[in-house]
Amino acid sequence: MALRAPAPTRDLLSRFESLGDENRLRILTLLDRNEFTVSELVSVLQLPQSTVSRHLKVLADDGWVRRRQEGKTRYYRMESDLEPEAGEL
């Protein structure tokens, strides 16, 4: 029988998978400092728009980033309400 981590720890551990990509870590580093649009991230990271969008979706789905819409433009920023353990990471 496999041991299971307590629910809050397990939830956080399951979210770590989204951090296993170097480009996602680069995106998080940028979004921790400022708010960016997809096109701004494309320019800074020199990655295709589809790649940046895909990474942002994974990070947003796992709760690492938040997005807000202003007109037709979406702005992304690191989630400010992370669990203490996630914020320290």
Side-chain angles (χ1 to χ4, degrees):
M1 178 177 207
L3 295 175
R4 296 181 72 124
T9 303
R10 208 164 68 86
D11 290 342
L12 181 59
L13 291 176
S14 68
R15 292 173 52 209
F16 283 152
E17 185 176 334
S18 60
L19 302 180
D21 183 282
E22 180 182 345
N23 288 319
R24 288 188 198 128
L25 293 176
R26 291 171 63 203
I27 289 170
L28 279 180
T29 300
L30 291 168
L31 296 179
D32 187 37
R33 297 183 179 132
N34 207 346
E35 186 176 64
F36 290 94
T37 65
V38 172
S39 61
E40 290 169 333
L41 289 169
V42 165
S43 177
V44 170
L45 298 168
Q46 295 296 297
L47 293 171
Q49 181 271 325
S50 59
T51 300
V52 172
S53 292
R54 182 172 34 88
H55 287 314
L56 285 169
K57 180 175 178 2
V58 170
L59 292 169
D61 288 350
D62 281 349
W64 295 106
V65 301
R66 67 175 183 218
R67 56 188 156 216
R68 71 176 178 87
Q69 189 134 358
E70 193 172 292
K72 293 183 178 183
T73 305
R74 280 191 180 164
Y75 293 89
Y76 293 84
R77 176 171 207 93
M78 182 101 154
E79 179 57 64
S80 59
D81 294 332
L82 293 172
E83 300 93 337
E85 298 86 4
E88 289 177 25
L89 178 65

